[in-house]
Amino acid sequence: MGDLTSERSNPSGSASVLVASNRGPVSFGTADDGTLTLRRGGGGLVSGLSAIDDPDAVWVCAALSDADRRAAREAPDGRLDRAGHEVGGQAVRMLDIDPETFARAYNGIANSTLWFVHHLLWNTPTAPAFDAGFRTEWQAYTAYNTAFAEALAAEAAPGAAVLVQDYHLSLVPALLRAARPDLRIGHFSHTPWAPPEYLRLLPDDIAEAVLTGVLGADRAGFLTRRWALAFADCCERFLGAEVHREALTVTYAGRTTALGVHGLGADADFLRERAHRPDVDERLATLRAAVGDRRTVVRVDRTELSKNIVRGFLAYRHLLRTRPEWRDRVVHIAFAYPSRTDLAEYRAYTDQVRSLAAEIVAEFGTPDWQPLILHVDDDFPRSLAAYRMADVALVNPIRDGMNLVAKEVPVVSDRGCALVLSREAGAHAELGEDALSVNPYDIVATADALHAGLTMAAEERTDRTKRLAAAATALPPQQWFLDQLNALRPGG
Ligand code: F6P
């Protein structure tokens, strides 16, 4: 990797707006004849970025697979747009990071360390254990962050705005500022932020590097005020930074970083249109045939430790055990699509989800009634079909930055649905009043909330769903993105 500071004297790029994220807007595969195939991704960032009408915008992302690395290598400076790929509205620079470095940074640090610390996921009698291997992974994470900072420094025009995303890139703001003090830098956390008592599980120098890395930004954005304040608490406790909780600022080493709160909302126009296409109708008919006229409890998640799928199933089992009147009258539809399968914890968790689902079906199922339908694969139109037919949506994460499923279901629900929502999800800040709130660790209370949702009067359900949908769509992705960009402008 090159010398970051050499970019300082020669800011040669022409991009006035830049986004950096680990996962980019496109990914590649290899066809049978050996040619590269391109797939466009979705999500809040992709639709957010479509708001800017700027042909000079550049999205910097990592190559995640061998096919991605090949595409990045074959493109000049990794610029996929210059290699003739149809990457969407903006230019894309994909970084060809050596696979071992990438795996250590992504699996070892981002997903096994920082994700765990922010979501409070460790089983502390045995984990974490910060050994010599951890230090090797940290070096890789630093190198991977440096590669991003170098690419951004090379692409950015003087005074450009750079929006750095998430815990994968927590060191980038400080690295980039050192190379290009002329830039206006934002960092956005899509996760919760750990409270000080949990962040202190990290080795002291690592906690400090993460905090000072983010503080390299002019603005650090969060999904809720709760996560912004947790970050401020950590800065105060570990760095001795000066914190203003009303103004939401953190001053450290002579610089002030503003904290921003931007509660990303659901994209109503997209969802409503997409949820009524023929492929969704088709899947709705299949699901309806399986469920009959029974009620439904629906959940859709990545198979992700923080999503709390196992306790959700335990709550459903408790409901069926203690309120037999629901037997043969309800079906739990659970779509848990695979995630981070390189990590042993995630594979073990997926096995646990599958076996508990099988136990529930064995305990209660009859020839005419399958009490739980589990699919562990990704099918977006099928998820939308489940959203449409949900009587109750179950969203019970241990801790979650926002949780967009909680916001999407009320928007596309056909007949209105009751939302059982964890008080530890960021979405709870906006939806809590009209949801049935639960402590995600309390299985009995979650079962009670499922019962309350299933028995909610139709009129109340409709009214609540309307209010939930309004709150859920208050800040659509494009506005979410523009707000952050505007706030970064001088005087913003
Ligand atoms: O919540 C943080 C986040 O980066 C999301 O933006 C994204 O949905 C999720 O994690 C996916 O993670 P990965 O890229 O590891 O599949």
Side-chain angles (χ1 to χ4, degrees):
M1 267 151 230
D3 173 10
L4 240 190
T5 48
S6 67
E7 305 286 356
R8 181 195 293 230
S9 51
N10 181 26
S12 55
S14 57
S16 53
V17 176
L18 299 95
V19 169
S21 64
N22 173 65
R23 191 177 288 279
V26 293
S27 60
F28 291 88
T30 312
D32 290 343
D33 65 359
T35 55
L36 288 170
T37 55
L38 179 145
R39 191 169 167 262
R40 290 225 195 122
L45 254 191
V46 172
S47 46
L49 200 60
S50 68
I52 53 162
D53 188 15
D54 185 344
D56 289 331
V58 173
W59 189 327
V60 177
C61 59
L64 307 182
S65 65
D66 288 341
D68 279 4
R69 277 185 280 275
R70 189 181 134 202
R73 258 196 311 278
E74 289 174 2
D77 291 328
R79 282 286 295 263
L80 301 176
D81 48 302
R82 291 187 184 148
H85 294 295
E86 282 297 319
V87 289
Q90 71 294 306
V92 176
R93 177 162 169 156
M94 189 175 261
L95 304 180
D96 172 23
I97 294 166
D98 145 70
E100 201 173 357
T101 304
F102 176 77
R104 286 176 174 153
Y106 176 69
N107 290 324
I109 301 298
N111 288 342
S112 298
T113 305
L114 300 179
W115 183 270
F116 273 56
V117 82
H118 290 317
H119 291 86
L120 321 184
L121 289 180
W122 277 309
N123 189 12
T124 53
T126 52
F130 297 113
D131 54 11
F134 170 79
R135 291 288 161 178
T136 310
E137 288 170 344
W138 182 257
Q139 275 173 9
Y141 181 77
T142 306
Y144 155 95
N145 272 253
T146 304
F148 269 85
E150 284 176 351
L152 292 164
E155 294 284 354
V162 186
L163 292 166
V164 179
Q165 310 297 312
D166 242 344
Y167 59 101
H168 312 89
L169 303 179
S170 56
L171 307 183
V172 167
L175 291 168
L176 186 57
R177 175 167 302 284
R180 291 287 305 273
D182 60 301
L183 300 178
R184 291 166 290 133
I185 304 170
H187 183 275
F188 195 86
S189 292
H190 294 259
T191 60
W193 194 274
E197 286 304 315
Y198 212 78
L199 196 84
R200 69 186 294 170
L201 268 63
L202 295 180
D204 294 350
D205 60 320
I206 304 297
E208 193 177 319
V210 168
L211 294 169
T212 56
V214 173
L215 287 178
D218 297 289
R219 285 186 95 245
F222 297 88
L223 287 163
T224 67
R225 194 175 164 82
R226 181 179 175 194
W227 312 141
L229 289 175
F231 175 76
D233 291 345
C234 289
C235 292
E236 189 175 59
R237 177 86 78 89
F238 300 112
L239 305 176
E242 189 186 323
V243 165
H244 285 280
R245 287 182 175 74
E246 285 306 308
L248 280 181
T249 59
V250 177
T251 303
Y252 175 68
R255 278 192 57 253
T256 296
T257 298
L259 308 185
V261 177
H262 303 272
L264 176 63
D267 190 342
D269 296 341
F270 164 75
L271 283 170
R272 291 197 176 113
E273 187 277 323
R274 185 67 190 85
H276 287 87
R277 287 202 207 153
D279 56 350
V280 177
D281 289 336
E282 219 173 85
R283 286 157 175 82
L284 186 63
T286 309
L287 281 173
R288 193 36 86 194
V291 168
D293 58 5
R294 299 177 184 91
R295 299 268 166 141
T296 58
V297 173
V298 168
R299 71 174 307 139
V300 176
D301 311 272
R302 291 186 294 114
T303 316
E304 157 60 53
L305 278 57
S306 64
K307 302 296 181 189
N308 209 22
I309 302 168
V310 169
R311 285 193 194 84
F313 284 0
L314 292 175
Y316 181 64
R317 183 170 76 180
H318 186 76
L319 176 84
L320 295 180
R321 279 184 180 170
T322 56
R323 298 184 193 269
E325 68 268 26
W326 284 115
R327 293 183 198 165
D328 202 21
R329 287 187 50 223
V330 63
V331 175
H332 188 6
I333 298 174
F335 296 158
Y337 56 93
S339 178
R340 303 181 186 166
T341 48
D342 285 344
L343 300 182
E345 288 96 332
Y346 281 67
R347 293 196 299 274
Y349 189 71
T350 308
D351 290 345
Q352 213 185 335
V353 166
R354 283 187 203 274
S355 62
L356 183 54
E359 276 176 37
I360 292 170
V361 172
E363 183 173 343
F364 300 101
T366 67
D368 303 322
W369 172 51
Q370 186 176 346
L372 194 157
I373 298 173
L374 170 69
H375 286 299
V376 185
D377 59 348
D378 190 8
D379 184 337
F380 184 55
R382 192 180 55 200
S383 298
L384 290 174
Y387 287 2
R388 281 180 56 187
M389 71 188 282
D391 291 301
V392 175
L394 174 57
V395 180
N396 64 326
I398 289 169
R399 197 170 161 91
D400 211 331
M402 175 56 74
N403 196 298
L404 278 180
V405 173
K407 290 190 162 182
E408 289 167 354
V409 180
V411 175
V412 299
S413 159
D414 279 347
R415 291 174 293 123
C417 77
L419 175 64
V420 174
L421 180 60
S422 164
R423 63 192 189 194
E424 306 305 325
H428 194 267
E430 293 155 277
L431 307 183
E433 264 180 41
D434 283 297
L436 300 167
S437 303
V438 289
N439 168 353
Y441 301 95
D442 190 338
I443 286 156
V444 172
T446 305
D448 288 345
L450 291 177
H451 176 72
L454 287 165
T455 52
M456 189 181 282
E459 199 184 332
E460 182 181 351
R461 210 167 91 155
T462 311
D463 289 348
R464 284 191 191 225
T465 304
K466 275 191 198 138
R467 291 192 295 267
L468 286 168
T473 54
L475 185 57
Q478 298 196 346
Q479 196 56 46
W480 169 83
F481 184 82
L482 287 176
D483 286 354
Q484 291 175 67
L485 204 54
N486 291 335
L488 260 190
R489 295 194 199 290

